[in-house]
Amino acid sequence: MTTSSFFDRRLFLNLGLTLLSSSIILVCIKLTPSIHLPYFVATALATGLGFLESRRGWFLAVVQVIIIWLGYMLIVPTPDGPADRDIENFGLYGSMILTFIGSFIGGLLKRALDRG
């Protein structure tokens, strides 16, 4: 695969989905009082991105992690209480790790299904 064929129309469409899924993960991190929902949502959405781009899912995962981290640091207001801040940070960094794992699993599933 050459460099010029890496950035095609399909990848740019999936980057839009990555932006949308990152926003959903940020909302889950901010609004839920526990870490379970952000972890589930991050894993499910990242698996979907890996399934959409079985060979370039790693790129979408990197973009999603960057968007999640920058969005949380620059846009989302920091909670006042230390307990809330700790839960949000735990949800944030755990979701970032699970994004890579989910994308990897989605890519593996897609390639396995394509092989038959």
Side-chain angles (χ1 to χ4, degrees):
M1 182 178 282
T2 64
T3 305
S4 62
S5 67
F6 185 81
F7 294 101
D8 59 358
R9 184 173 188 263
R10 180 177 171 192
L11 182 67
F12 284 115
L13 289 173
N14 290 332
L15 282 172
L17 289 174
T18 303
L19 178 64
L20 179 65
S21 66
S22 301
S23 302
I24 292 170
I25 294 168
L26 277 173
V27 168
C28 289
I29 290 170
K30 187 62 185 170
L31 295 181
T32 59
S34 69
I35 61 167
H36 300 96
L37 184 63
Y39 281 11
F40 174 73
V41 170
T43 305
L45 293 175
T47 302
L49 291 176
F51 196 82
L52 287 174
E53 290 286 347
S54 62
R55 299 285 178 200
R56 298 177 290 191
W58 62 270
F59 181 73
L60 295 178
V62 168
V63 170
Q64 182 163 308
V65 165
I66 291 170
I67 292 171
I68 291 170
W69 190 79
L70 285 176
Y72 186 80
M73 295 300 167
L74 300 176
I75 297 171
V76 175
T78 306
D80 295 329
D84 292 335
R85 190 171 28 251
D86 288 343
I87 289 173
E88 284 187 13
N89 282 332
F90 198 66
L92 171 71
Y93 294 114
S95 294
M96 290 167 56
I97 292 167
L98 289 173
T99 294
F100 288 114
I101 295 169
S103 178
F104 177 71
I105 291 171
L108 284 177
L109 285 173
K110 175 66 172 170
R111 287 191 299 269
L113 289 173
D114 286 346
R115 276 189 238 139

